[in-house]
Amino acid sequence: MKVPLALEANSRALLTFHHILSSQKKRIIRHSARELNLTGICKIGYPGVLAVEGREAQVGRYVREIKSLRWASCTLADLTTGLSDADMQMSKAVSAESHPSRSKSDSELGSERGSTAKSAGIVMVEKMNEVGTYMQRAGLEEWWRRAMGYAKGG
């Protein structure tokens, strides 16, 4: 029996990497998220950070797919499950007018930066403070700081 979408639980995941440099891996990160209707942010370069949220089954599939790629280091820093639709926060930070400042390499990073709110996709950024700003705008700063080990007791 298929569970109605409104009753399916959501989840949020944070992965950390030694680095994300490969153009092919960046394409996979973006494409797979869109295909699975996930929203999130990816900090490329050193270190790499990837945060996504969406339906639990899709987040689980996405995490497995990304982790299966060949990485110098890839760690699942946090997986929060059982979230309601009201807990889904990242899409709030995706709109063009509210996402972190754009860098010089927008064309290289992909068209996800111009996504509208509620749309699936990954915002690609180059600086960690852009991730912090994104999380703050999404109302997820405490979660992100704890998952990254920045918060006391985290």
Side-chain angles (χ1 to χ4, degrees):
M1 178 174 166
K2 185 167 175 132
V3 178
L5 284 179
L7 299 177
E8 285 185 33
N10 299 301
S11 65
R12 182 177 303 125
L14 178 73
L15 294 117
T16 59
F17 305 83
H18 179 268
H19 63 270
I20 301 174
L21 300 174
S22 163
S23 296
Q24 181 180 6
K25 288 177 184 171
K26 289 185 252 184
R27 275 192 302 276
I28 292 168
I29 287 168
R30 290 188 306 256
H31 177 75
S32 294
R34 273 193 307 268
E35 290 291 312
L36 294 169
N37 201 31
L38 302 177
T39 302
I41 187 166
C42 179
K43 190 266 180 203
I44 61 172
Y46 292 88
V49 175
L50 175 60
V52 296
E53 66 181 16
R55 299 289 181 206
E56 256 181 48
Q58 282 79 8
V59 170
R61 181 173 160 197
Y62 184 75
V63 167
R64 285 188 300 277
E65 180 178 352
I66 298 304
K67 285 187 66 119
S68 74
L69 301 174
R70 189 173 179 181
W71 299 100
S73 171
C74 175
T75 303
L76 179 60
D78 186 83
L79 178 62
T80 303
T81 59
L83 300 173
S84 70
D85 286 347
D87 294 324
M88 303 308 287
Q89 302 292 315
M90 289 189 198
S91 61
K92 293 178 183 178
V94 173
S95 66
E97 57 276 353
S98 69
H99 87 67
S101 61
R102 293 189 167 137
S103 64
K104 292 180 181 178
S105 59
D106 276 1
S107 60
E108 175 190 319
L109 294 176
S111 61
E112 286 74 21
R113 289 176 170 263
S115 298
T116 58
K118 301 290 183 192
S119 66
I122 300 292
V123 174
M124 304 294 272
V125 299
E126 296 176 325
K127 297 178 182 174
M128 196 64 82
N129 69 343
E130 291 178 291
V131 179
T133 300
Y134 177 96
M135 292 300 178
Q136 186 177 39
R137 289 182 176 152
L140 294 171
E141 186 176 24
E142 285 184 38
W143 169 80
W144 179 70
R145 290 180 56 76
R146 179 188 44 78
M148 290 295 293
Y150 298 155
K152 290 181 183 178

